[in-house]
Amino acid sequence: MNEFELIRRYFSRQPVTRADVALGIGDDAALLQPPPGQQLVVTTDLLVSDVHFLPDVNPAALGHKALAVNLSDLAAMGAEPAWFVLNLALPVADESWLTGFSTGLFGLAQRYRIQLVGGDTSRAPQVVIAIEAHGFVPAGQALERAGAKPGDRIFITGALGDAGLALRHRQGRLRLSDAEFALCAERMDRPAPRIEEGLALRAIASSAIDISDGLVADLGHILEMSRVGARLELARLPLSPAYRTHLAETGWDVALANGDDYELCFTVPPANLAALEKIKHRFPAMVDIGVIEADSGLRIIDAAGKPYTPKATGHDHFG
Ligand code: ADP
Ligand code: MG
């Protein structure tokens, strides 16, 4: 199988159904037509073997996750997904790996109607996957990290820490039951990008971020960019039943700092809380976890009302 056959067999198979794709895969470049009045939202994420995933990871899960992390960034901006490009470096053209990877990738792409419009393919010593995703947001309506104000409530879209539990189980540092592991591994391997939440929050949230590096680190980015501080209540943190079962041995830090959960963290001004109530029936997992304050820094308060300091703060490749 040569390079062109590989592209044709595995990556040209998504039918083009979007009217805004004038020319997709197959030419020197794609021709795309953004709708009038919309801003183009562009994001990219790099996944490197041995750094972001183990070489023996399920290829379908990897295909899903490579796109999901990009969709999560679009969600955090309040963007509607439209197009993506895929840059792929592979040591070998393994047919069963390519079948699995492309099936996982296109399964998620179809769900959010995001069209693969191009990419590049090369041989390399290890697997590297770089996806760039594009979306739209009406001009001026994107959710940015800056914009949180003292008095705004802080929310997250769902439970934190399950991806971290799955990782610890795989590392032999924690023993989950089969049923618990199945749920947690799903969260680690096939994260669900919160696209619908991001779209619904455009007119409601004052700032937003997706939690890829851990709540403490990512909320920290909102605080820094918004030049504010916050008070977070541990007792309000949404945890899965599996996490609650293991809370005594695991502690809070996996939920606070592991990351990889891809929930959104966002802030809502008091004037918009009624609007948030109106959409909450669609997103029952959304929970209020604290409040933005004028004093800089993050103050975490435990159930007894005492200050809590996490030992780990988040993922940093060069930290
Ligand atoms: P070039 O020599 O101009 O880089 P290629 O032969 O690499 O062109 O690519 C031919 C077509 O296939 C282009 O439309 C390119 O966008 C597409 N393509 C190449 N690799 C991928 C990939 N991994 N996923 C999707 N499309 C790809
Ligand atoms: Mg090329």
Side-chain angles (χ1 to χ4, degrees), residues 209 213-222 224 256-257 298 313-315:
I209 193 167
D213 296 332
L215 175 65
V216 170
D218 289 319
L219 175 57
H221 295 312
I222 287 188
E224 210 170 294
L256 288 172
L298 177 61
T313 50
H315 189 71

Side-chain angles (χ1 to χ4, degrees), residues 3-4 6-7 11-12 24-30 84-88 106 116-122:
E3 179 188 330
F4 306 103
L6 185 157
I7 296 165
F11 298 111
S12 307
I25 291 173
D27 215 299
D28 295 315
F84 71 109
V85 295
L86 168 67
N87 293 310
L88 197 56
F106 287 125
L116 181 62
V117 294
D120 204 10
T121 310
S122 172

